[in-house]
Amino acid sequence: MDYPDELAPAVRSILSAARERAGAAARAGDTASVSPRDLAAAFERAEADGRVPVIAEVKPTSPTTEGSREDDPVALAEGMVAGGAAALSVLTEPEHFGGSVDTLRRVREAVDVPVLRKDFVVEEAQLDAVESDVVLLIARFVGDDLPDLLAAARDRGFQVLVEVHDRDELERALDAGATTVGVNNRDLAELVVDLGTFESVAPHVPDEVTLIAESGIEGPTDARRMRAAGADALLVGSAIMDGDVEANTRELTRAEADEDADPTPRDATDTTETPT
Ligand SMILES: O=P(O)(O)OC[C@@H](O)[C@@H](O)c1c[nH]c2ccccc12
């Protein structure tokens, strides 16, 4: 399959590499069969506990990050859970994100929260490379194969997060029967982030769908902005990976509790200019 020219060169190369690995996975054998940890229940537990539901992402590097983080991913994952993360996301793409299926396996063994496998799954065989509680399918990259891949993932027991970037992709995800949808604020054609993306797509997502705001959330203010726009949960990588992961995660999971506790309005003009 040829990928559209409008995709960033890094993204095209990621997709070709994913297809090559799919062939190897197919030859390796067993079909995955998972007993997943319930993602929606993990979000509800966080809410009940006054935490913003955050999926914290173990992402050693990326095409848009300088350098790479060499710490033990299991220690990072444990720090994220200690900071209140409702779930984790682990990159398994090796060439551009420094991930591996072995890292995911180790992280999932070490924690008890649901773990999302973050990779570029474009063929069914890739689903068998490693077990996780949730797998990601990116609407833009799987095209017409979305319904079949969704079914193949569910047959194996996975919960599925379908990632979209605009309303067309959202419609395709809903038609395919997605019940958990992520809106990626990062445009995969140009790798530019705009939090307005989530705000423009979110109003069209039915209430019963679990809705996740992905990418570009840099701190508590962005977290509150995405929640105000309807996010049930937030997927955050870079802002957590940069520095003390436990403290960074805690700051995000407490974004609403801290705001409630703060008697001074952040910005007085916010309230005076709100039309009644
Ligand atoms: O580091 P950020 O901006 O917080 O983004 C996290 C996550 O949303 C991002 O890594 C991501 C979203 N969709 C993806 C698909 C593949 C690889 C990575 C991603």
Side-chain angles (χ1 to χ4, degrees), residues 14 16-17 35 42 61 76 87 104 122 127-129 143 162 166 172-174 183 199 201 206 231-234 250 270:
I14 289 167
S16 316
S35 313
T61 186
L76 294 172
L104 184 142
V122 286
L127 294 169
D128 297 323
V162 180
D166 57 30
R172 285 202 287 120
L174 297 175
V183 179
E199 290 169 323
V201 177
D232 294 309
L234 315 175
R250 182 166 299 115
D270 276 1

Short mmCIF file of all heavy atoms in Angstrom, two decimals, residues 14 16-17 35 42 61 76 87 104 122 127-129 143 162 166 172-174 183 199 201 206 231-234 250 270:
data_model
loop_
_atom_site.label_atom_id
_atom_site.label_comp_id
_atom_site.label_asym_id
_atom_site.label_seq_id
_atom_site.Cartn_x
_atom_site.Cartn_y
_atom_site.Cartn_z
N ILE A 14 7.47 5.19 9.34
CA ILE A 14 6.95 4.40 10.47
C ILE A 14 5.98 3.33 9.96
O ILE A 14 6.01 2.17 10.36
CB ILE A 14 6.22 5.32 11.48
CG1 ILE A 14 7.22 6.20 12.22
CG2 ILE A 14 5.39 4.50 12.47
CD1 ILE A 14 6.58 7.34 12.99
N SER A 16 5.72 2.00 6.90
CA SER A 16 6.36 0.92 6.13
C SER A 16 7.04 -0.06 7.07
O SER A 16 6.95 -1.27 6.89
CB SER A 16 7.43 1.46 5.18
OG SER A 16 6.97 2.58 4.54
N ALA A 17 7.71 0.47 8.10
CA ALA A 17 8.39 -0.41 9.05
C ALA A 17 7.38 -1.29 9.77
O ALA A 17 7.62 -2.48 10.03
CB ALA A 17 9.20 0.42 10.06
N SER A 35 -7.20 -11.42 28.84
CA SER A 35 -8.24 -11.08 29.81
C SER A 35 -7.94 -9.64 30.22
O SER A 35 -7.06 -9.41 31.05
CB SER A 35 -8.15 -11.94 31.07
OG SER A 35 -7.99 -13.27 30.71
N ALA A 42 -11.51 1.76 35.16
CA ALA A 42 -10.34 2.46 35.73
C ALA A 42 -10.57 3.97 35.72
O ALA A 42 -10.21 4.68 36.67
CB ALA A 42 -9.08 2.10 34.95
N THR A 61 11.17 8.24 23.21
CA THR A 61 11.48 9.34 22.29
C THR A 61 10.38 9.38 21.25
O THR A 61 9.43 8.60 21.32
CB THR A 61 12.87 9.17 21.64
OG1 THR A 61 13.17 10.34 20.87
CG2 THR A 61 12.93 7.94 20.73
N LEU A 76 9.68 4.09 35.41
CA LEU A 76 8.88 5.24 34.97
C LEU A 76 7.39 4.93 35.12
O LEU A 76 6.62 5.73 35.64
CB LEU A 76 9.19 5.58 33.51
CG LEU A 76 10.61 6.09 33.21
CD1 LEU A 76 10.83 6.21 31.71
CD2 LEU A 76 10.85 7.45 33.89
N ALA A 87 -4.46 4.76 33.94
CA ALA A 87 -4.03 3.73 32.99
C ALA A 87 -2.69 4.18 32.41
O ALA A 87 -2.27 5.32 32.61
CB ALA A 87 -5.06 3.56 31.88
N LEU A 104 6.56 -3.44 27.06
CA LEU A 104 5.15 -3.47 27.42
C LEU A 104 4.86 -4.66 28.33
O LEU A 104 4.17 -4.53 29.35
CB LEU A 104 4.26 -3.52 26.17
CG LEU A 104 2.77 -3.46 26.50
CD1 LEU A 104 2.02 -2.64 25.46
CD2 LEU A 104 2.13 -4.81 26.59
N VAL A 122 -1.53 -2.05 11.45
CA VAL A 122 -2.22 -1.93 10.16
C VAL A 122 -2.62 -3.29 9.60
O VAL A 122 -3.32 -3.38 8.60
CB VAL A 122 -1.34 -1.16 9.12
CG1 VAL A 122 -1.32 0.32 9.45
CG2 VAL A 122 0.08 -1.71 9.08
N LEU A 127 -1.45 -7.81 15.82
CA LEU A 127 -2.17 -7.90 17.09
C LEU A 127 -1.62 -9.03 17.97
O LEU A 127 -1.85 -9.05 19.18
CB LEU A 127 -3.67 -8.15 16.84
CG LEU A 127 -4.42 -7.00 16.15
CD1 LEU A 127 -5.81 -7.48 15.71
CD2 LEU A 127 -4.54 -5.82 17.11
N ASP A 128 -0.93 -9.97 17.35
CA ASP A 128 -0.45 -11.12 18.11
C ASP A 128 0.97 -10.96 18.65
O ASP A 128 1.51 -11.86 19.28
CB ASP A 128 -0.55 -12.38 17.24
CG ASP A 128 -1.99 -12.66 16.87
OD1 ASP A 128 -2.87 -12.43 17.73
OD2 ASP A 128 -2.25 -13.07 15.72
N ALA A 129 1.56 -9.78 18.43
CA ALA A 129 2.94 -9.59 18.87
C ALA A 129 3.06 -9.55 20.39
O ALA A 129 4.07 -9.97 20.95
CB ALA A 129 3.51 -8.32 18.25
N GLY A 143 -7.75 2.83 7.30
CA GLY A 143 -8.70 3.03 6.20
C GLY A 143 -9.89 2.08 6.28
O GLY A 143 -10.50 1.91 7.33
N VAL A 162 -9.97 3.76 19.21
CA VAL A 162 -9.86 4.19 17.81
C VAL A 162 -9.51 5.67 17.79
O VAL A 162 -10.22 6.50 18.37
CB VAL A 162 -11.17 3.93 17.03
CG1 VAL A 162 -11.01 4.40 15.58
CG2 VAL A 162 -11.53 2.44 17.05
N ASP A 166 -10.42 14.09 12.74
CA ASP A 166 -11.42 15.03 12.24
C ASP A 166 -12.79 14.34 12.22
O ASP A 166 -12.91 13.17 12.58
CB ASP A 166 -11.05 15.57 10.85
CG ASP A 166 -10.85 14.46 9.84
OD1 ASP A 166 -11.50 13.40 9.97
OD2 ASP A 166 -10.06 14.64 8.90
N ARG A 172 -16.39 7.46 10.58
CA ARG A 172 -15.96 6.11 10.21
C ARG A 172 -15.76 5.25 11.46
O ARG A 172 -16.11 4.07 11.49
CB ARG A 172 -14.67 6.15 9.39
CG ARG A 172 -14.93 6.60 7.96
CD ARG A 172 -13.82 6.15 7.03
NE ARG A 172 -12.61 6.91 7.23
CZ ARG A 172 -11.44 6.37 7.58
NH1 ARG A 172 -11.32 5.08 7.79
NH2 ARG A 172 -10.39 7.15 7.72
N ALA A 173 -15.22 5.84 12.51
CA ALA A 173 -14.99 5.10 13.76
C ALA A 173 -16.32 4.67 14.35
O ALA A 173 -16.50 3.51 14.77
CB ALA A 173 -14.20 5.96 14.75
N LEU A 174 -17.30 5.59 14.36
CA LEU A 174 -18.61 5.27 14.95
C LEU A 174 -19.34 4.23 14.11
O LEU A 174 -19.93 3.29 14.63
CB LEU A 174 -19.45 6.54 15.11
CG LEU A 174 -18.87 7.60 16.07
CD1 LEU A 174 -19.73 8.86 16.04
CD2 LEU A 174 -18.76 7.06 17.50
N VAL A 183 -9.33 11.58 20.27
CA VAL A 183 -9.11 12.62 19.26
C VAL A 183 -7.68 13.10 19.43
O VAL A 183 -7.31 13.62 20.49
CB VAL A 183 -10.10 13.79 19.43
CG1 VAL A 183 -9.82 14.86 18.38
CG2 VAL A 183 -11.54 13.30 19.33
N GLU A 199 -11.48 20.18 20.62
CA GLU A 199 -12.68 21.00 20.87
C GLU A 199 -13.63 20.99 19.68
O GLU A 199 -14.85 21.09 19.86
CB GLU A 199 -12.25 22.44 21.21
CG GLU A 199 -11.58 22.49 22.57
CD GLU A 199 -10.91 23.81 22.86
OE1 GLU A 199 -10.34 24.41 21.93
OE2 GLU A 199 -10.92 24.24 24.03
N VAL A 201 -13.99 18.45 17.43
CA VAL A 201 -14.56 17.11 17.15
C VAL A 201 -15.45 16.63 18.31
O VAL A 201 -16.48 15.99 18.09
CB VAL A 201 -13.42 16.10 16.86
CG1 VAL A 201 -13.99 14.69 16.63
CG2 VAL A 201 -12.59 16.54 15.65
N PRO A 206 -21.09 10.87 20.51
CA PRO A 206 -22.22 10.53 21.38
C PRO A 206 -21.77 10.30 22.83
O PRO A 206 -20.65 9.83 23.06
CB PRO A 206 -22.75 9.21 20.78
CG PRO A 206 -22.11 9.05 19.45
CD PRO A 206 -20.89 9.91 19.42
N ALA A 231 -13.68 15.81 27.55
CA ALA A 231 -12.83 14.61 27.62
C ALA A 231 -13.13 13.79 28.87
O ALA A 231 -13.13 14.31 29.99
CB ALA A 231 -11.35 15.02 27.63
N ASP A 232 -13.40 12.50 28.68
CA ASP A 232 -13.53 11.60 29.83
C ASP A 232 -12.15 11.30 30.41
O ASP A 232 -12.02 11.00 31.59
CB ASP A 232 -14.19 10.28 29.38
CG ASP A 232 -15.63 10.50 28.94
OD1 ASP A 232 -16.38 11.12 29.71
OD2 ASP A 232 -15.99 10.07 27.83
N ALA A 233 -11.15 11.30 29.56
CA ALA A 233 -9.78 11.01 30.01
C ALA A 233 -8.79 11.72 29.10
O ALA A 233 -9.15 12.17 28.00
CB ALA A 233 -9.54 9.50 29.99
N LEU A 234 -7.55 11.84 29.57
CA LEU A 234 -6.50 12.51 28.82
C LEU A 234 -5.35 11.55 28.58
O LEU A 234 -4.97 10.82 29.50
CB LEU A 234 -5.97 13.71 29.62
CG LEU A 234 -7.00 14.62 30.28
CD1 LEU A 234 -6.29 15.67 31.14
CD2 LEU A 234 -7.87 15.29 29.22
N ARG A 250 1.09 13.59 38.84
CA ARG A 250 0.24 14.05 39.94
C ARG A 250 -0.36 15.42 39.64
O ARG A 250 -1.53 15.68 39.90
CB ARG A 250 1.05 14.07 41.25
CG ARG A 250 0.20 14.49 42.45
CD ARG A 250 0.84 14.20 43.79
NE ARG A 250 1.10 12.80 44.01
CZ ARG A 250 2.31 12.25 44.13
NH1 ARG A 250 3.38 13.00 44.08
NH2 ARG A 250 2.44 10.95 44.34
N ASP A 270 -12.16 35.97 32.89
CA ASP A 270 -12.91 34.80 32.44
C ASP A 270 -14.36 34.87 32.87
O ASP A 270 -15.26 34.54 32.13
CB ASP A 270 -12.37 33.51 33.12
CG ASP A 270 -11.18 32.99 32.35
OD1 ASP A 270 -10.81 33.63 31.36
OD2 ASP A 270 -10.65 31.95 32.76
#
